[in-house]
Amino acid sequence: MTAQDSATRPTRIAVPAPGTEAPAPAPAPAGTRRTGTLMAALGVIAFSLTFPSTAWGLEGIGPWSFVTLRGVLSALVAGGCLLALRVAVPHRRHWAGLAVVGAGVVVGFPLLTTLALQTSTTAHAAVVVGLLPLTTAVFSVLRTGARPSRTFWAAALAGAAAVIAFTVQQSGGALSTADLYLFGALLICAAGYTEGGRLAREMPGWQVIGWALMLCLPLNIAGAAVALPHESFQLTGHSTAGLLYSAIGSQFLGLVVWYRGMAAIGIPKASQLQLAQPLLTLAWSVFLLGEHLTVAAPLTAAAVLVCIAVTQRSRG
């Protein structure tokens, strides 16, 4: 064989034999994992203020108006960033996933939880967040093929059980009509988180939520136009702060760091950091809403922190 033949001969690419799996990707470097964990944790902190800020917003703004205006403001911020940085329009194959993100975290979760908070306390609504980490992990297994270890699942279930027991006890153990809204929000948000985490491996996390917000902008504008004439709209200090934080702090900046963290450490592990979110939300509710907590809070917090540590160190 001549040198020319060797140069022009096509390169053979190893393809797994039928019935076998492709090799698993190499684990992320330790520095990347630490950064990813930090980003996801910042997202959890941002999300923990969502329910209190929504409660503030509902003091002066009707629920449908609040949700649609929140989406419009978030989209204006995201659109400005996309335009200023001249970000190219996503590839056609990404739009279906962006639609799932939009339906889950831009429209569905904010709307259903806002409707629930009309008749539910933030403590009771925290039940949703207590179940969200486990539900997101299940969705990630179904959607991305992630395979967490048995230790991961055991710790995740234990953490979810601890959070549920605490939040149900805080709400008096009684179910309300808001529960249907809350469980619906749980499912649709888990789908949006999972799809957003998957897309964040192919494009920056801020672009994932940015394009999802832009995709939902026409719907939110139309919704605001219909809702505003029929609902109360009074911009007090609380309602203005609640609307601005929900739109910019929670729905945009929080999701930016959250999806970046998911892409770095994986959807299942990032989701388990949210076990701390209900406890943070309840702490905020004490300072911002004047709600009262029992001595069970620090005990539950300690149990949850142990579960988080186990999930972060487990395989997968």
Side-chain angles (χ1 to χ4, degrees):
M1 179 183 294
T2 66
Q4 182 177 2
D5 292 334
S6 178
T8 58
R9 186 177 180 179
T11 303
R12 293 185 177 181
I13 301 176
V15 178
T20 63
E21 296 183 357
T32 300
R33 293 197 300 272
R34 285 193 295 269
T35 301
T37 301
L38 175 61
M39 293 295 101
L42 289 175
V44 170
I45 294 172
F47 298 154
S48 69
L49 275 162
T50 300
F51 287 168
S53 64
T54 299
W56 270 9
L58 291 176
E59 291 180 11
I61 305 174
W64 292 87
S65 298
F66 180 84
V67 172
T68 52
L69 288 174
R70 167 181 171 173
V72 170
L73 290 175
S74 300
L76 291 177
V77 174
C81 295
L82 292 168
L83 184 62
L85 297 176
R86 299 181 180 180
V87 177
V89 175
H91 193 276
R92 183 182 301 176
R93 72 177 186 275
H94 292 145
W95 283 108
L98 290 171
V100 174
V101 175
V105 303
V106 177
V107 177
F109 186 79
L111 176 60
L112 292 174
T113 54
T114 298
L115 292 175
L117 285 171
Q118 288 187 287
T119 56
S120 172
T121 65
T122 57
H124 190 78
V127 173
V128 174
V129 180
L131 290 172
L132 188 55
L134 179 60
T135 309
T136 303
V138 172
F139 268 72
S140 72
V141 169
L142 298 175
R143 181 67 179 93
T144 68
R147 291 293 181 268
S149 65
R150 292 181 180 178
T151 301
F152 175 94
W153 286 117
L157 287 169
V163 170
I164 292 170
F166 175 65
T167 50
V168 169
Q169 185 270 335
Q170 286 293 299
S171 62
L175 297 179
S176 67
T177 55
D179 288 327
L180 289 178
Y181 289 135
L182 295 174
F183 287 122
L186 164 71
L187 295 175
I188 198 169
C189 187
Y193 278 175
T194 299
E195 198 65 21
R198 185 187 67 83
L199 287 173
R201 297 176 180 175
E202 303 181 32
M203 65 175 74
W206 76 271
Q207 292 183 25
V208 173
I209 185 57
W211 287 114
L213 286 164
M214 295 305 297
L215 186 63
C216 296
L217 179 59
L219 178 62
N220 280 320
I221 291 177
V226 172
L228 282 171
H230 298 91
E231 289 187 331
S232 62
F233 183 77
Q234 186 177 5
L235 289 179
T236 64
H238 277 184
S239 64
T240 302
L243 178 61
L244 290 177
Y245 182 83
S246 296
I248 300 172
S250 177
Q251 192 151 13
F252 183 62
L253 297 178
L255 286 167
V256 167
V257 293
W258 176 244
Y259 283 140
R260 182 178 175 184
M262 276 190 160
I265 65 176
I267 298 171
K269 284 192 174 182
S271 70
Q272 297 313 296
L273 292 173
Q274 279 197 299
L275 285 170
Q277 186 173 324
L279 304 178
L280 291 172
T281 297
L282 292 170
W284 290 122
S285 71
V286 170
F287 292 106
L288 301 178
L289 305 177
E291 295 186 4
H292 176 70
L293 299 182
T294 67
V295 294
L299 298 178
T300 307
V304 167
L305 290 175
V306 171
C307 294
I308 290 174
V310 174
T311 61
Q312 298 308 298
R313 292 179 178 273
S314 65
R315 179 178 56 84

